Amino acid sequence: MIKFLHSMIRVSNLEDSLKFYIDALGLEEVRRKEVPKGKFTLVFLKAPDSDAEIELTYNWDSIEDYGNARNFGHLAFSVDNIYDMCASLQQKGIKILRPPRDGHMAFIKSPDNISIELLQKGKPLPSQEPWASMQNSGNW
């Protein structure tokens, strides 16, 4: 089973973005996470009648120009067993760019170069090979 979780969008001005998504579009903030060590803020929004969320990522010190499609980060899905899912994807010729070394998270890309995050439903699975020693590949 697979369930859509959220789409992530990088924003250059959190206040302006919240005004747009909340005030203009009518989404509601469901949670927020400040990460001082990483110098970023995550704000999760959703439509009143939906479980799917938009994750706004605000990098505090970023001067990156998001006008070149870097503002869209990834789609995220929860999976029942991240190892089985990644093995199945590999069998279908899909490259695992960020292997699930931690039993929790992996990244792949769509044919159109859209990053897809796979997250283990519930608690992370115990680390296991070949995933535990597999290196990252490319970018996601």
Side-chain angles (χ1 to χ4, degrees), residues 97-113:
L97 301 172
R98 195 285 190 186
R101 291 182 297 273
D102 56 5
H104 174 68
M105 176 180 64
F107 272 90
I108 58 173
K109 280 197 176 177
S110 77
D112 295 306
N113 215 29

Side-chain angles (χ1 to χ4, degrees), residues 1-3 77-85 103 118-125:
M1 186 183 105
I2 186 167
K3 178 183 177 186
F77 298 92
S78 68
V79 297
D80 288 336
N81 184 303
I82 197 158
Y83 297 135
D84 290 348
M85 175 61 83
L118 304 172
L119 295 166
Q120 173 62 41
K121 187 190 300 182
K123 295 181 180 180
L125 299 178

Side-chain angles (χ1 to χ4, degrees), residues 6 11 14 22-23 34 36-37 39 43 49 58 64 85 89-90 93 95 103-104 106 108 111 123 126-127 137:
H6 66 263
V11 299
L14 186 57
I22 294 173
D23 297 343
E34 302 280 342
K37 185 176 179 180
K39 297 184 179 180
V43 179
D49 61 345
Y58 174 66
E64 185 175 353
M85 175 61 83
L89 291 167
Q90 278 186 321
K95 189 169 187 164
H104 174 68
I108 58 173
K123 295 181 180 180
S127 183
S137 162

Side-chain angles (χ1 to χ4, degrees), residues 6 13 22 26 31 34 47 54 59 68 87-88 92 123 125 130:
H6 66 263
N13 183 305
I22 294 173
R31 66 185 181 284
E34 302 280 342
I54 295 174
N59 294 301
N68 294 317
S88 174
K92 294 173 182 165
K123 295 181 180 180
L125 299 178

Side-chain angles (χ1 to χ4, degrees), residues 7 20-21 25 30 34 36 42 48 93 106 127 136 138 140:
S7 292
F20 174 78
Y21 288 104
L25 294 182
V30 293
E34 302 280 342
L42 304 177
S127 183
N136 292 344
W140 56 91

